[in-house]
Amino acid sequence: MLPALVTAASCLLATAAAVPTHGKSHIETVFEFPNNSFVENLAVRPNGQILVTVLTSRELVLVDPQRPGHSVLVHNFTDANGLTGITEYEPDVFAVATGDYHFKTPNWGQGTWALWSVDLRGVKVQNGALVPPPKVSKIVHVPESQLFNGIALLSKKDKTLLVADTKAGVIYRVNAKTGDYKVVINSTETSPLQTPHGVNGVRIYGDTLYFSNSGQFEIFKVRLHEDGTPAGPFVVAAKAKTEIDEYDDFAVDHDGNIFTSTGSGNSILKVSANGKHQTIVAGSLNSTDVAEPTSAVFGRGPLDKSTLYVTTAGGSAVPVNGNIIIPGKLLAIKTHSRA
């Protein structure tokens, strides 16, 4: 979830927690960010390390689950004010969305959003730094953009991405090599309608696009043509039982079950593949165990393929119980599933 309305926090790593904390037995805090950090999204490197974006910072951060409590600066996007979506589009090469977003103000960075390539091939952590430094280059700036959010890989061969524009309520296809872009989905299902937020998280599994619409409190799925345009009807894959559960980014397991963050619902929900059953797997409305979750992905290694990594905003936008705000976190939640 992106909040409707704290200036970007700089020096993100300087005040970060050095020691992990633990909640319930199946939830572990891998890393705790500074106070007032709206931790937004994440992607897992082939080696298991995790890249984390923060809406209230211009810094892309790397966290290693094998060394909880430690982090490394990947890159400082000096011409941005916040980072949102991230996805891998080549092995160990990631696309990152940045913009001049100002938390809790009317400035959502309209017209400033861009996609960047972060190439981590051959890059390792040595003495608290990345060696050699990653190669970072701009893919494209999209002047028409209103609020870039989730990103998904459409074609490995063509290096094309689908990028959600939450405020505009559309999905772009972007070529990560050439920078060419085009709106390929503009529908009622992606629209914010009368709310601030439309299409949010996007994931592609096979030939099917799953996407959340935070303003409509639903997750939809639709088959795609190779060019990213719809190849069939939009189907509701999950519908929130109440408007407390603002579906944000999510993961889909190998059986088609959806593990979704709920924003102000302060929980992770498992939605059955047929959409008929919803079960809370971590957190609860009045708990800070999973305070304002924003995204979720499964681990990639043999030791964590059943672990769901979750980013949280700590109640920055919607405080827990109306008045509790804690630091944003990267959590590891044990499940009985896998991607």
Side-chain angles (χ1 to χ4, degrees):
M1 178 186 66
L2 291 174
L5 298 174
V6 168
T7 304
S10 59
C11 300
L12 184 65
L13 306 179
T15 57
V19 180
T21 59
H22 301 269
K24 294 181 179 179
S25 59
H26 72 301
I27 305 174
E28 179 178 347
T29 298
V30 181
F31 190 75
E32 183 176 292
F33 288 79
N35 291 330
N36 298 313
S37 293
F38 194 106
V39 188
E40 171 64 16
N41 217 317
L42 71 166
V44 182
R45 295 183 68 188
N47 65 6
Q49 295 170 345
I50 300 173
L51 300 173
V52 183
T53 67
V54 182
L55 186 61
T56 48
S57 171
R58 53 177 59 96
E59 296 175 350
L60 179 63
V61 176
L62 182 148
V63 178
D64 189 342
Q66 300 305 310
R67 300 189 69 236
H70 296 83
S71 68
V72 178
L73 174 65
V74 177
H75 187 73
N76 188 324
F77 293 90
T78 56
D79 61 349
N81 218 37
L83 280 58
T84 55
I86 181 170
T87 199
E88 186 180 37
Y89 71 91
E90 290 186 62
D92 223 7
V93 184
F94 297 82
V96 181
T98 72
D100 188 26
Y101 187 96
H102 294 261
F103 187 43
K104 290 189 176 180
T105 78
N107 183 3
W108 289 7
Q110 183 167 337
T112 70
W113 291 91
L115 293 180
W116 294 76
S117 174
V118 179
D119 187 342
L120 290 163
R121 288 175 292 190
V123 176
K124 299 181 179 180
V125 178
Q126 294 183 8
N127 299 319
L130 296 184
V131 180
K135 298 176 182 177
V136 179
S137 59
K138 183 179 288 186
I139 295 172
V140 65
H141 163 237
V142 181
E144 304 93 325
S145 63
Q146 296 188 42
L147 178 56
F148 275 177
N149 202 332
I151 311 173
L153 175 63
L154 175 63
S155 169
K156 292 182 180 179
K157 177 174 68 78
D158 298 329
K159 306 297 186 292
T160 50
L161 310 165
L162 292 187
V163 183
D165 189 321
T166 290
K167 191 171 187 295
V170 301
I171 297 177
Y172 286 87
R173 182 187 68 234
V174 180
N175 187 303
K177 288 301 183 183
T178 67
D180 292 338
Y181 63 89
K182 177 183 180 181
V183 172
V184 289
I185 302 179
N186 182 2
S187 69
T188 301
E189 289 78 10
T190 56
S191 170
L193 298 181
Q194 302 303 312
T195 72
H197 302 118
V199 58
N200 191 328
V202 289
R203 308 287 191 199
I204 296 175
Y205 294 88
D207 65 353
T208 301
L209 168 68
Y210 292 74
F211 64 89
S212 59
N213 187 313
S214 298
Q216 296 187 38
F217 306 98
E218 292 179 313
I219 295 175
F220 297 92
K221 61 182 179 180
V222 61
R223 289 187 57 249
L224 297 176
H225 292 297
E226 290 185 0
D227 64 357
T229 57
F234 293 86
V235 177
V236 176
K239 185 175 181 62
K241 294 182 178 180
T242 72
E243 293 187 0
I244 291 172
D245 293 332
E246 299 174 88
Y247 292 154
D248 201 336
D249 283 277
F250 54 90
V252 180
D253 73 7
H254 67 295
D255 292 321
N257 302 302
I258 300 170
F259 289 75
T260 183
S261 53
T262 63
S264 57
N266 303 316
S267 63
I268 298 296
L269 283 179
K270 179 183 178 180
V271 182
S272 62
N274 61 13
K276 294 182 178 180
H277 305 286
Q278 297 188 18
T279 307
I280 293 178
V281 297
S284 63
L285 177 60
N286 300 314
S287 169
T288 58
D289 287 341
V290 189
E292 201 173 7
T294 55
S295 190
V297 299
F298 281 101
R300 298 177 65 171
L303 299 179
D304 66 353
K305 63 182 179 181
S306 296
T307 297
L308 191 69
Y309 291 105
V310 173
T311 48
T312 74
S316 297
V318 183
V320 181
N321 282 333
N323 59 3
I324 300 174
I325 299 175
I326 65 173
K329 298 180 181 182
L330 172 64
L331 303 175
I333 300 174
K334 301 297 183 183
T335 75
H336 298 290
S337 191
R338 60 180 175 82

